[in-house]
Amino acid sequence: ELERLQRQRLEEISQIKTNVLSMVSHDLRTPLTSIHLYAQMLEEDLKDLDEGEQRKFLGVISEECTRLSRLVDDLLEVQRLERNNIDWPTQPHDLSETVRSVARAFEPIALNNGLQFDVQCPEKIMQVWVNPDKIAQAINNLLSNALKFTPSGGRIILAARFTNAEVVISVADTGPGIPREKWDAVFDRFVQISSDKVAASKGVGLGLYITRQIIERHKGRVWLDSEIGSGTEFFLALPICRTKPSSALVATPEYVAGQVVICDADPDLASVMAQELRGHGFEVRLAHCGSRFFEQIAERPPDVVICDVVLPDMSCQEFLDGLERVESRSFLLVLHSTGGTCEELKRLGANIVLSRPVSRSELVEAAGIAMYKRADRGAVVAMITGWGIDGDRMGQVLAAKGHLPVAVGDQTEAIESLRKYPVDAVIAFVGPEGAQSPKRHALECELPAGGHLFALTSIPDKSICQRDSTDAVTLLPYRPGQEELVAAEIDRLVGARKAEIVQ
């Protein structure tokens, strides 16, 4: 399996290299051809050209040289970003100043192209810790992109606002729009979206990739919303930070917790989820419709899929039917939805079910549990820590044994975890009532198929506990300090189940 993955990765790298050489050679050759042609005409016909024509030819040469310089700068910038070779000093900065500065430089260009250009920015906005030049570069890339795709007579809007502890900058245009299945791809290296207006667009497809890298290294996020025929709006969101961050401009962690594909129709929510998971070391890819999702998992199978059940191009049942047709499906499926019960969605193939709106901590916990289950190591254990159990100590012991402890505060939270997550075992202190405890019965009724309850009791008699234990419930004498004994029982349970699978 490791050799197969390495071979697949090398093939991907080889294909990327081929694509890069092809695209870059094309984008270098085009301006070089123009420079050579106009320089040759100047050399051969200099005496016959009037001053106006000479200036025109020199202007073309200058523009193409600028284009070449920009291409080289972009390639070098990508190299520095991917090697993490960056040194961008940061400072607290009012981004309204940056927005207006970029707008002033862009206004005459828009006017010359017959475009209406509006700026909607307050005089002052909350300060953020940024490198102002890099944020200006990101905004300029978005405006240049909008200029390229917006026909004469169209409109471009540059706006900034403060919302939900973020400064959000947006660039909207009235261009042809971007198909939903291409929303994630536009931020990749060397990707260009063609249209009738820009069939031979200038550039090598690095501007949006560099923009995303700049914003994500500022711990922000980038996304877009678009409708075919009505235009596109790009968004940059940067978090408010009232004190200087310990490390503001860093790449995602070097370790990879796992590969995740997020499929969601809401681009803003998808970007929030991706930002949170990337911050915890996950490699994240986005899809905004079902068709693109199935392309993504066919290109490179993920470890975990996080998906809404309401997609713009297919129903929940169509989506799940599509999953059933995926050959050698190895990923775990996390569904989050405003409708449908956990039981229904699990019957349809979900491993974990979350209800919208989903919190960031809940999302990270779900992805972590899914990765753990996929690795098939120990047991996922829900511990009710509010009933006489030393949760910290129990968690440490379980983790040392290779299990994944999930702390819950009470019976209600435990039952909710059993419904949402693939929990293998529950640990709960049921007191001196032992087998007669209402807590025991309530939890036992909620156990999923194959689930197990370790009911800890203050009854010291082991024979009574053994007598009152069942296939689904183990009654254990317990007092603080005996966490190792509980972990040993869970080890035996996991070992017995693996033995059954082998047989």
Side-chain angles (χ1 to χ4, degrees):
E1 176 66 11
L2 180 60
E3 289 177 353
R4 185 189 68 79
L5 292 173
Q6 289 176 333
R7 185 173 63 253
Q8 179 182 337
R9 181 58 180 157
L10 287 172
E11 290 172 353
E12 290 174 357
I13 292 172
S14 178
Q15 186 60 48
I16 289 172
K17 181 190 73 173
T18 301
N19 293 344
V20 169
L21 289 174
S22 175
M23 292 178 181
V24 172
S25 62
H26 173 270
D27 281 270
L28 285 172
R29 187 182 295 113
T30 302
L32 283 173
T33 300
S34 294
I35 292 170
H36 181 263
L37 176 63
Y38 280 93
Q40 190 176 43
M41 286 191 295
L42 277 172
E43 181 182 30
E44 294 175 353
D45 303 322
L46 183 61
K47 294 180 180 179
D48 299 327
L49 295 172
D50 60 33
E51 184 178 350
E53 290 176 315
Q54 291 178 21
R55 288 185 180 279
K56 177 183 176 181
F57 286 10
L58 290 171
V60 171
I61 292 173
S62 177
E63 287 178 2
E64 295 300 335
C65 286
T66 301
R67 178 180 169 189
L68 279 175
S69 177
R70 188 182 302 117
L71 172 58
V72 173
D73 288 344
D74 283 349
L75 290 170
L76 292 174
E77 181 84 324
V78 169
Q79 183 183 45
R80 286 191 293 268
L81 288 166
E82 296 191 344
R83 290 184 176 180
N84 205 27
N85 183 21
I86 56 175
D87 182 18
W88 302 339
T90 62
Q91 63 187 63
H93 185 71
D94 183 345
L95 284 178
S96 63
E97 300 174 9
T98 301
V99 169
R100 284 192 291 272
S101 175
V102 175
R104 283 193 295 271
F106 187 80
E107 281 172 352
I109 304 174
L111 181 63
N112 186 58
N113 283 268
L115 299 174
Q116 180 182 345
F117 180 47
D118 297 331
V119 180
Q120 301 170 0
C121 181
E123 286 298 318
K124 296 289 183 182
I125 201 167
M126 295 290 290
Q127 289 191 334
V128 290
W129 279 91
V130 295
N131 181 288
D133 292 339
K134 288 300 172 183
I135 301 303
Q137 180 184 355
I139 299 171
N140 187 75
N141 286 347
L142 294 186
L143 286 172
S144 298
N145 202 63
L147 175 69
K148 182 168 62 177
F149 284 90
T150 306
S152 179
R155 184 185 184 195
I156 295 175
I157 302 173
L158 171 62
R161 67 183 188 276
F162 170 70
T163 178
N164 297 328
E166 291 179 318
V167 172
V168 179
I169 299 169
S170 61
V171 174
D173 65 53
T174 55
I178 300 173
R180 182 176 283 269
E181 63 271 17
K182 300 293 184 182
W183 286 8
D184 60 295
V186 298
F187 294 106
D188 292 341
R189 293 181 301 257
F190 306 107
V191 170
Q192 297 187 79
I193 304 298
S194 62
S195 78
D196 294 338
K197 177 180 182 292
V198 286
S201 62
K202 298 179 180 180
V204 74
L206 290 175
L208 292 178
Y209 173 76
I210 291 172
T211 295
R212 187 186 74 179
Q213 292 291 319
I214 289 172
I215 299 304
E216 288 183 355
R217 287 166 192 270
H218 281 83
K219 301 187 184 300
R221 54 197 181 94
V222 182
W223 73 98
L224 71 91
D225 199 356
S226 183
E227 185 176 344
I228 297 297
S230 299
T232 301
E233 187 167 14
F234 283 89
F235 301 87
L236 313 177
L238 293 158
I240 296 298
C241 186
R242 302 189 184 281
T243 58
K244 184 176 182 179
S246 55
S247 56
L249 302 178
V250 294
T252 53
E254 293 182 1
Y255 69 93
V256 177
Q259 296 181 354
V260 179
V261 170
I262 296 175
C263 182
D264 199 287
D266 183 341
D268 188 0
L269 176 61
S271 73
V272 169
M273 292 192 290
Q275 178 193 42
E276 190 68 23
L277 290 175
R278 286 176 181 138
H280 285 78
F282 289 91
E283 179 185 324
V284 182
R285 291 176 286 155
L286 294 176
H288 299 287
C289 61
S291 59
R292 178 56 182 155
F293 164 76
F294 286 109
E295 289 178 8
Q296 288 266 24
I297 64 174
E299 291 168 4
R300 184 153 49 104
D303 299 306
V304 176
V305 165
I306 300 175
C307 186
D308 185 13
V309 298
V310 180
L311 297 174
D313 59 341
M314 59 183 64
S315 67
C316 174
Q317 190 58 58
E318 288 172 333
F319 175 77
L320 293 169
D321 287 345
L323 284 177
E324 288 185 352
R325 293 191 292 270
V326 174
E327 295 182 5
S328 305
R329 172 181 159 185
S330 59
F331 57 82
L332 269 72
L333 177 62
V334 179
L335 292 183
H336 56 103
S337 171
T338 54
T341 66
C342 292
E343 292 77 11
E344 290 172 340
L345 294 176
K346 283 187 175 180
R347 280 198 302 271
L348 292 172
N351 301 100
I352 296 176
V353 179
L354 306 175
S355 297
R356 296 176 76 138
V358 59
S359 69
R360 295 190 176 198
S361 59
E362 190 177 24
L363 174 70
V364 172
E365 184 176 57
I369 290 173
M371 284 300 306
Y372 188 86
K373 291 295 291 184
R374 188 180 186 282
D376 193 25
R377 293 194 285 259
V380 176
V381 183
M383 309 177 301
I384 303 180
T385 58
W387 290 353
I389 296 175
D390 185 342
D392 291 339
R393 173 62 183 160
M394 185 72 78
Q396 291 170 3
V397 171
L398 291 172
K401 294 279 189 178
H403 305 298
L404 179 64
V406 179
V408 295
D410 55 28
Q411 177 178 312
T412 301
E413 288 186 21
I415 291 174
E416 184 67 18
S417 293
L418 286 169
R419 292 174 178 172
K420 291 191 300 188
Y421 301 130
V423 174
D424 299 298
V426 180
I427 300 175
F429 186 75
V430 298
E433 297 170 290
Q436 306 306 314
S437 168
K439 298 173 183 177
R440 170 198 159 151
H441 290 295
L443 291 168
E444 185 178 5
C445 290
E446 295 293 336
L447 288 175
H452 201 89
L453 171 63
F454 291 90
L456 311 186
T457 177
S458 52
I459 298 173
D461 193 327
K462 292 183 180 180
S463 61
I464 294 176
C465 291
Q466 290 174 351
R467 182 196 68 195
D468 292 338
S469 295
T470 67
D471 290 341
V473 181
T474 298
L475 201 63
L476 288 176
Y478 170 82
R479 64 177 183 272
Q482 294 183 322
E483 291 78 18
E484 293 281 356
L485 297 176
V486 178
E489 290 294 326
I490 295 176
D491 284 343
R492 277 193 282 274
L493 173 69
V494 172
R497 288 181 177 174
K498 288 186 176 179
E500 289 176 5
I501 294 172
V502 171
Q503 291 176 359

